[in-house]
Amino acid sequence: MQLGWLRTFVTVYRLGSFTKAAQQLGLSQPAVTHQVRNLERELGRPLFERLPKGVRPTAAAESLVRDVQGPIDSLNGIVGRYRSGRPGDQPLHVGGPAELMTSRVIPAISDLIGEGMHFRLAFGLADDLLSDLADRRLDLVISTVRPRIRGIASTPLVDEEFALLASVELARTLPTERLKAEGPGVLDAYPLLAYSESLPIIRRYWLSVFGVRPNAVPPLIVPDLRGVLSAVKSSAGLSVLPTYLCAEELAQGEVVPLLEPDIPPINTFYLAVRQGELGRADLAVLHGHLLLKARLWA
């Protein structure tokens, strides 16, 4: 098996087309087709379903791309750096939700900063950040939704799991033994805290676990999940939060889950870039680095 076959496979997967992959890689379309077929023979299973326009990845391709795209991006970036020297001083502009960026992304890119890469970070909502990416104001976005914008390619990064939380003190007063059997109505007397009037995270949890929409009016809205966590810790009320954000508080018993659903609600983060731009050495290094680091995020 040749490393180039895997690079070609990842490119075809991301662009959804042998023709577009050939253009990006500087190869002929028959060469791209030949490499993918060689890889399929080596693995003993098909990777793409051929369509009238483009290709659709098979389940085997979905599994393979999760394992190889991070290392392939990193290797592409390393080769690019050796060809052109160390990355220049032009910063990469990266956007994402403030909570994930501060708690996970900044520590993850610290070693890249030590190697001389420069970054400018922006925080915001997914739709706004993706618009900035399409308008070339950002180079990469970590999005809480799968992008549906023409010219934007996305790769699943990591899943966040949600939990219904309260402080230990408040949890002692809650009818948790009735919650699973009777539903969220038993919580009506307790303040429900949120980061938005529309209750997006709480609504996702309520629909997934209880099968109903929340009808509470939060007494506190904090447009930052770290602030919501602070309020929960101080017994101001309960809320639904991603577990990565409160891993330390959960481990130390400062907050506790009120339920343990058989299938916890999750949301997927995506790495979004403009199509064709992962040929840039610096962007490929960052993309692959984040894919590798995200495997260790709790």
Side-chain angles (χ1 to χ4, degrees):
M1 183 184 296
Q2 297 181 23
L3 187 60
W5 299 352
L6 291 172
R7 178 172 179 251
T8 298
F9 157 71
V10 170
T11 306
V12 172
Y13 176 91
R14 287 174 173 163
L15 298 180
S17 164
F18 282 82
T19 302
K20 292 178 181 178
Q23 292 170 348
Q24 179 168 320
L25 294 169
L27 300 173
S28 67
Q29 183 171 335
V32 168
T33 302
H34 180 69
Q35 290 187 20
V36 171
R37 285 178 176 167
N38 282 343
L39 183 59
E40 289 176 326
R41 280 195 292 268
E42 186 75 20
L43 297 175
R45 63 192 68 184
L47 295 172
F48 296 104
E49 177 186 350
R50 277 63 171 179
L51 303 174
K53 291 185 178 181
V55 294
R56 178 188 297 126
T58 64
E62 298 286 0
S63 177
L64 179 62
V65 79
R66 284 195 294 269
D67 288 331
V68 303
Q69 62 185 343
I72 289 295
D73 285 342
S74 294
L75 288 170
N76 286 340
I78 291 168
V79 170
R81 288 161 65 185
Y82 272 90
R83 283 176 177 167
S84 59
R86 55 167 286 181
D89 292 338
Q90 290 300 315
L92 284 170
H93 293 261
V94 181
E99 301 87 355
L100 185 76
M101 296 286 279
T102 54
S103 65
R104 292 293 184 270
V105 174
I106 291 175
I109 64 175
S110 294
D111 47 352
L112 297 182
I113 295 170
E115 293 175 7
M117 294 184 69
H118 292 197
F119 300 95
R120 300 293 181 265
L121 304 185
F123 303 154
L125 299 176
D127 288 344
D128 297 333
L129 295 172
L130 290 170
S131 177
D132 286 344
L133 176 65
D135 291 340
R136 310 190 76 85
R137 289 190 289 270
L138 293 173
D139 299 303
L140 180 146
V141 166
I142 300 175
S143 175
T144 56
V145 298
R146 185 168 189 170
R148 303 291 184 185
I149 302 174
R150 184 183 298 276
I152 300 298
S154 64
T155 305
L157 175 65
V158 69
D159 291 333
E160 59 177 345
E161 180 181 315
F162 297 119
L164 176 59
L165 302 172
S167 67
V168 175
E169 294 75 17
L170 189 58
R172 292 194 185 105
T173 72
L174 288 163
T176 51
E177 69 285 349
R178 296 166 45 205
L179 182 57
K180 189 169 185 179
E182 299 180 30
V186 302
L187 303 177
D188 286 349
Y190 296 86
L192 195 58
L193 315 176
Y195 87 98
S196 168
E197 295 282 358
S198 61
L199 313 180
I201 295 178
I202 295 171
R203 183 175 66 250
R204 178 189 291 268
Y205 189 97
W206 253 237
L207 287 170
S208 177
V209 175
F210 302 122
V212 298
R213 291 180 174 272
N215 55 16
V217 177
L220 177 68
I221 299 290
V222 186
D224 189 309
L225 292 177
R226 293 164 297 184
V228 177
L229 175 59
S230 177
V232 171
K233 286 167 58 177
S234 64
S235 299
L238 21 143
S239 191
V240 176
L241 291 167
T243 54
Y244 79 82
L245 186 65
C246 47
E248 184 176 337
E249 287 81 2
L250 284 165
Q252 295 177 356
E254 295 180 87
V255 296
V256 294
L258 303 180
L259 274 179
E260 294 186 3
D262 294 334
I263 304 177
I266 63 169
N267 183 57
T268 301
F269 287 106
Y270 295 87
L271 289 181
V273 297
R274 289 182 295 277
Q275 283 185 348
E277 298 231 341
L278 284 178
R280 293 170 48 187
D282 54 354
L283 191 56
V285 167
L286 174 62
H287 193 273
H289 194 75
L290 289 174
L291 287 170
L292 291 174
K293 291 284 188 177
R295 296 185 177 191
L296 304 176
W297 295 350

